[in-house]
Amino acid sequence: MNHPSELKYASTHEWVRIEGDLVVTGISDHAQDALGDLVYVETPEVGQQITAGQQAGVVESVKTASDIHAPVSGTVVEINANLEDDPDFVNDDPYGKGWIYKIKPDNMADVEQLLSNTAYEAGL
């Protein structure tokens, strides 16, 4: 599995990358592999206030559906609209084209509470 060391991870299989004052998030390589081929990604709404650990969306595959949880609390400022037509971006490139949404976090320090790639992999 590919879990880049520059990212942080939630135990619920979401990843986080800091871009300026925003947090970009998606699901990990492990999660997309376990789900199989994705057929639908439900994103949160732009402007939606989300709380860390709470459901922020859903990914559906040919096998199952799984909740996406917010890795940090904040406001959704952008969604990856490309996933509406091409949810397979999450399977093909989970850390690049497969990002799901961007958050303006209430507290950027919350990112530091997430797992390193080694701690995430140890829990798999």
Side-chain angles (χ1 to χ4, degrees):
M1 293 287 116
N2 174 27
H3 301 111
S5 61
E6 68 273 12
L7 304 178
K8 292 287 196 169
Y9 300 85
S11 60
T12 51
H13 308 293
E14 294 79 21
W15 58 264
V16 164
R17 176 176 59 240
I18 297 172
E19 288 186 357
D21 63 347
L22 300 179
V23 171
V24 181
T25 190
I27 63 170
S28 72
D29 191 31
H30 170 79
Q32 70 77 25
D33 185 60
L35 287 165
D37 292 334
L38 294 183
V39 295
Y40 178 72
V41 177
E42 177 186 307
T43 61
E45 298 288 326
V46 172
Q48 181 179 339
Q49 189 70 19
I50 56 176
T51 303
Q54 300 298 310
Q55 180 184 348
V58 176
V59 288
E60 293 181 16
S61 72
V62 293
K63 295 195 289 190
T64 189
S66 182
D67 292 341
I68 302 169
H69 297 90
V72 296
S73 297
T75 304
V76 176
V77 296
E78 186 178 347
I79 61 165
N80 186 348
N82 294 324
L83 298 180
E84 188 173 317
D85 294 326
D86 291 309
D88 55 329
F89 282 150
V90 176
N91 293 118
D92 297 339
D93 189 12
Y95 305 114
K97 290 182 181 181
W99 67 274
I100 298 174
Y101 60 98
K102 296 181 182 182
I103 307 165
K104 172 92 170 138
D106 293 339
N107 184 354
M108 188 63 84
D110 290 347
V111 172
E112 294 309 313
Q113 303 304 312
L114 297 171
L115 304 169
S116 68
N117 66 325
T118 54
Y120 174 70
E121 289 172 353
L124 295 179

